[in-house]
Amino acid sequence: MLNRLKTIARHLWLDADDTRRAISPSMLKRLTQRVAASERRHSGEVRICVEASLPLSYLRRLGKHHPIRALARQRAVMMFSKLRVWDTEHNNGVLIYLLLAEQAIEVVADRGIARHVSAEQWHNMVAHMSSAFKAGRYEDGLTEALAEISAVLMQHFALDGAPGAAANPNELPDNPLLM
């Protein structure tokens, strides 16, 4: 019960201002440029979402049957839908979701890319990033996440680059969403 109250208090304490302190305007600009550069090499779409804390509607469910990590995953899946990452032409959108209150990272991939990447591979990518996040090195962790996801997207959805090849429209914003 005490741990539940501590978790709820931590989430109620943090807000969007904490997100903006963790992700400076210059870092936001660099991350936006990295997403854009990545997407010029493959047909996938990558969104980054950084949220300070879970909404109260999620925290109310916190308990034995809904541990905080499961709630973070549920929130990432909901943001995947809300940000329309699932709505890309080739179904190869990927969301990188960072929850600051828990220093939790979630990667949610659409079915077009998910069929090429095992759950274990996604888990390993997240494990690589987690040490940077736990040390408060959010830019390093997000840059590493983007690099690993870009490599997978290039492997399976590389752009042809030949003259006359189909254009690659930018279907989703490149800038990370800070909440």
Side-chain angles (χ1 to χ4, degrees):
M1 180 65 161
L2 183 59
N3 284 340
R4 181 177 187 267
L5 291 175
K6 285 181 180 179
T7 299
I8 291 171
R10 182 172 55 248
H11 282 263
L12 293 175
W13 180 260
L14 296 174
D15 62 16
D17 288 337
D18 293 290
T19 306
R20 286 187 288 278
R21 279 190 288 278
I23 310 294
S24 69
S26 60
M27 184 190 314
L28 189 64
K29 183 178 179 180
R30 288 189 299 273
L31 290 169
T32 299
Q33 291 168 343
R34 288 177 182 130
V35 169
S38 167
E39 290 179 358
R40 285 192 292 271
R41 300 179 307 171
H42 54 75
S43 66
E45 292 289 325
V46 180
R47 284 299 317 255
I48 297 173
C49 178
V50 181
E51 189 166 30
S53 59
L54 291 173
L56 191 55
S57 60
Y58 283 77
L59 295 173
R60 286 184 180 131
R61 295 181 283 181
L62 182 63
K64 184 167 69 169
H65 298 293
H66 292 95
I68 193 67
R69 293 296 180 173
L71 294 175
R73 179 68 183 176
Q74 290 171 11
R75 180 67 174 175
V77 169
M78 195 284 301
M79 292 306 298
F80 179 85
S81 174
K82 185 175 183 177
L83 297 173
R84 302 185 65 89
V85 180
W86 57 268
D87 197 21
T88 61
E89 183 177 347
H90 301 290
N91 297 4
N92 57 357
V94 179
L95 174 69
I96 302 169
Y97 175 82
L98 173 60
L99 179 61
L100 293 178
E102 299 300 323
Q103 296 176 332
I105 180 90
E106 295 289 338
V107 175
V108 183
D110 204 352
R111 63 190 174 273
I113 187 65
R115 74 173 60 111
H116 297 289
V117 182
S118 71
E120 182 181 350
Q121 286 175 287
W122 291 121
H123 176 77
N124 288 339
M125 285 183 212
V126 169
H128 294 149
M129 299 174 254
S130 66
S131 63
F133 293 131
K134 287 181 179 161
R137 296 185 344 267
Y138 301 116
E139 184 171 7
D140 293 343
L142 289 168
T143 299
E144 183 176 340
L146 182 58
E148 289 195 43
I149 290 166
S150 295
V152 169
L153 286 166
M154 284 185 57
Q155 180 181 359
H156 300 288
F157 296 96
L159 292 176
D160 186 348
N168 180 35
N170 193 11
E171 299 175 78
L172 297 172
D174 295 334
N175 60 305
L177 176 64
L178 304 182
M179 301 173 49

